[in-house]
Amino acid sequence: LRAALRDSKTQWYQLPIGVGIGFVGLMQFYKVTTREKEKEELDEVTGAAGRKPNGRERIRPDGPWQVRAMSTLPLKAMSRLWGRFNELDIPYYLRVPGFKLYSFIFGVNLDEVAEPDLRTYPNLAAFFYRKLKPGARPLDPNPNALLSPSDGRILQFGQIEGGDIEQVKGMTYSIDALLGKHTPTPSVAHGEHGRPSERHISENEGLIKTDEEFARVNGISYTLPSLLSGGRPSGSTQTESPPDEAEREDSPAAISAVRADLALGEKPWYALLAPEENRTALYYAVIYLAPGDYHRFHSPANWVVERRRHFAGELYSVSPYLQRTLPGLFTLNERVVLLGRWRWGFFSYVPVGATNVGSIKINFDRELRTNSLTTDTEADRAAEEAAARGEPYLGFAEATYASASRVLGGHALRRGEEMGGFQLG
Amino acid sequence: STVVLVFEAPVEQGSDAGETKGGWRWNVEKGQRVKMGQALGYV
């Protein structure tokens, strides 16, 4: 062996280039295969693709390089910083030219702003969340109309078939991903005919037959107007000097006025909840609010909000461009899902946050905090607790509204009533 | 920011006479600008 090593002549020569390329290709294929295999094994362990071991959703969107680059940015931190920046007071004499410039760029109609003196808005955040003059947005007089909850542009609408909602340019996502699982109620999901509110009715049947009984459920003197406004039982709001009979909330005149307002006619109160038609379907509409739009939103119909689900997701931009390029955008972003019923059955209202407008405010839900470190931490903790229990993390925190409206089973909203809005950051 | 509405509504039903009644009808078009309070559709 020593002689062979010593006496053998070493001769170097070039490999054909094709062999080299083939070798590099083979190595690359091996690396990719190994990586994919590791990923599949991880998914098997965690139970679902794209999840951290604790179950909290990790945002790993597919799409062009712009989307991938965006997914590496700390969008929520940037959004909070943007919000803080816009809460800085603008020098008094710069407010008018500043807000006029903003209005010019984004098309704000200053004639309909409730406070015409622009100097009273200390910063852009206050101007952004401005109110409008009374009567600037008249409600459609048809009581059977579903109203637009805010100013904006209709991006998409249609009927939900097979549980999928179509996004712009044909992208689809499932209704479960948007609203959370077990939604809507089985009567809708299974496409059964009939009245989805039978549970409510059967619980209360025999108790409530008239408006007077409606006003005395379970011995508590709730009244129709107070229920619909989410108010307290009338007994707890009595003043020292009793109001005139005509002004009392539970007076026949007041009840008749509300019944007329709700277009109830001679129907029982639960007609608000139960559809009369035999066959129903699920519909959807997507409305995009541009930066210059009025950013408070109002109730699109008379309905009862039964519960709220807060998804502490990401805060991608929701511009039409990104909606075209990022599939399932609405199921990634932070959003508040309000679930309830209207007279035709299931009803839900979903404000979806964006990078510049990350804070969603719901007027009747003071505990709700969106785009905050606290909610992120709580979501992480909830995910870890669920993982410790061996249960899947559902991805949202849920609250129910049942305090004031025991009869309706939630918080009642009237058409056109202000529900909340989007705030900067 | 964006708002998504998902709701249940009656399906328009046709009769033998060719008439339709009672269903949900949209009152908007894709890309249309809307104002708060404007009707998106009717039952």
Side-chain angles (χ1 to χ4, degrees):
Chain A
L1 181 62
R2 190 182 301 131
L5 286 171
R6 189 179 56 234
D7 299 334
S8 295
K9 185 183 176 186
T10 304
Q11 185 179 0
W12 295 93
Y13 57 92
Q14 287 184 334
L15 284 170
I17 193 163
V19 175
I21 291 172
F23 177 75
V24 171
L26 201 63
M27 288 300 292
Q28 188 65 19
F29 176 75
Y30 174 75
K31 275 202 277 187
V32 170
T33 312
T34 309
R35 194 167 58 211
E36 289 297 317
K37 195 175 174 185
E38 285 174 357
K39 184 182 159 191
E40 282 174 14
E41 285 172 358
L42 179 67
D43 289 345
E44 278 178 18
V45 172
T46 57
R51 287 191 177 182
K52 285 180 181 177
N54 71 358
R56 180 99 193 273
E57 292 284 347
R58 190 171 69 194
I59 311 299
R60 236 176 13 193
D62 289 326
W65 67 269
Q66 294 96 329
V67 171
R68 288 173 182 270
M70 193 178 290
S71 69
T72 63
L73 299 173
L75 295 170
K76 297 194 90 168
M78 287 165 62
S79 179
R80 287 172 203 142
L81 193 65
W82 174 245
R84 291 263 186 264
F85 173 74
N86 284 300
E87 285 171 357
L88 296 175
D89 282 2
I90 299 172
Y92 189 78
Y93 293 104
L94 291 179
R95 290 176 190 174
V96 173
F99 293 140
K100 281 192 173 176
L101 178 66
Y102 181 91
S103 304
F104 174 75
I105 294 171
F106 293 107
V108 180
N109 183 1
L110 292 174
D111 292 336
E112 57 189 22
V113 177
E115 178 51 67
D117 185 2
L118 298 181
R119 289 169 294 192
T120 57
Y121 298 105
N123 47 48
L124 185 60
F127 181 72
F128 188 83
Y129 203 60
R130 63 195 174 275
K131 286 188 170 183
L132 299 183
K133 286 177 183 169
R137 295 285 182 273
L139 306 183
D140 190 285
N142 187 336
N144 293 322
L146 180 70
L147 306 179
S148 173
S150 61
D151 290 1
R153 189 149 57 93
I154 303 290
L155 287 187
Q156 194 69 262
F157 64 85
Q159 186 174 337
I160 297 173
E161 292 172 357
D164 287 336
I165 297 175
E166 189 183 3
Q167 201 170 305
V168 179
K169 295 289 180 190
M171 303 288 188
T172 58
Y173 49 95
S174 78
I175 190 171
D176 275 349
L178 177 74
L179 306 180
K181 293 231 172 182
H182 311 302
T183 307
T185 53
S187 66
V188 181
H190 298 158
E192 292 175 5
H193 300 173
R195 295 148 47 132
S197 303
E198 279 173 358
R199 179 176 56 83
H200 291 266
I201 295 166
S202 63
E203 281 175 2
N204 296 312
E205 230 166 24
L207 288 173
I208 306 161
K209 288 286 178 9
T210 65
D211 286 332
E212 285 71 30
E213 286 174 310
F214 178 41
R216 287 192 294 278
V217 178
N218 297 329
I220 301 169
S221 183
Y222 284 104
T223 65
L224 189 57
S226 67
L227 283 171
L228 293 171
S229 62
R232 294 160 178 269
S234 62
S236 64
T237 55
Q238 277 185 347
T239 55
E240 288 182 9
S241 56
D244 293 340
E245 179 63 25
E247 292 176 0
R248 282 182 46 177
E249 286 186 328
D250 55 352
S251 70
I255 290 176
S256 298
V258 174
R259 290 182 69 87
D261 195 30
L262 297 175
L264 268 172
E266 295 303 312
K267 297 173 204 160
W269 66 270
Y270 51 75
L272 281 172
L273 305 174
E276 295 173 336
E277 301 296 328
N278 292 326
R279 209 158 68 85
T280 58
L282 279 178
Y283 298 88
Y284 72 96
V286 182
I287 304 167
Y288 169 70
L289 286 73
D293 286 333
Y294 170 61
H295 264 76
R296 292 173 187 252
F297 47 70
H298 298 243
S299 175
N302 295 318
W303 68 298
V304 178
V305 192
E306 293 174 340
R307 67 183 101 159
R308 171 261 288 169
R309 290 176 173 175
H310 176 211
F311 292 75
E314 264 298 338
L315 278 175
Y316 288 91
S317 162
V318 292
S319 66
Y321 166 74
L322 212 66
Q323 290 193 36
R324 282 195 299 272
T325 51
L326 182 51
L329 174 62
F330 297 143
T331 63
L332 296 176
N333 269 13
E334 180 164 10
R335 61 197 178 279
V336 177
V337 176
L338 299 175
L339 300 166
R341 297 188 171 280
W342 70 326
R343 64 184 302 183
W344 309 107
F346 172 78
F347 196 93
S348 72
Y349 182 90
V350 188
V352 184
T355 318
N356 61 335
V357 192
S359 298
I360 301 166
K361 187 181 169 189
I362 303 293
N363 292 350
F364 51 87
D365 192 335
R366 293 183 181 174
E367 292 181 2
L368 176 66
R369 292 283 179 278
T370 55
N371 195 14
S372 75
L373 277 174
T374 313
T375 51
D376 284 353
T377 310
E378 285 172 357
D380 281 333
R381 193 183 302 132
E384 285 170 7
E385 287 172 1
R389 291 194 302 269
E391 298 170 359
Y393 176 57
L394 298 173
F396 56 82
E398 186 170 274
T400 55
Y401 301 116
S403 57
S405 305
R406 291 178 63 180
V407 178
L408 295 175
H411 182 90
L413 289 163
R414 299 174 69 172
R415 67 198 299 261
E417 180 181 341
E418 185 182 316
M419 295 168 62
F422 295 100
Q423 294 179 320
L424 285 175
Chain B
S1 38
T2 306
V3 170
V4 183
L5 296 173
V6 180
F7 55 93
E8 188 180 6
V11 177
E12 201 168 62
Q13 295 178 64
S15 65
D16 294 339
E19 298 172 350
T20 56
K21 64 166 192 173
W24 170 258
R25 283 172 290 120
W26 291 102
N27 191 44
V28 290
E29 293 177 357
K30 277 181 198 172
Q32 179 184 334
R33 283 202 61 81
V34 290
K35 299 276 189 188
M36 195 287 282
Q38 187 177 333
L40 298 176
Y42 302 96
V43 175

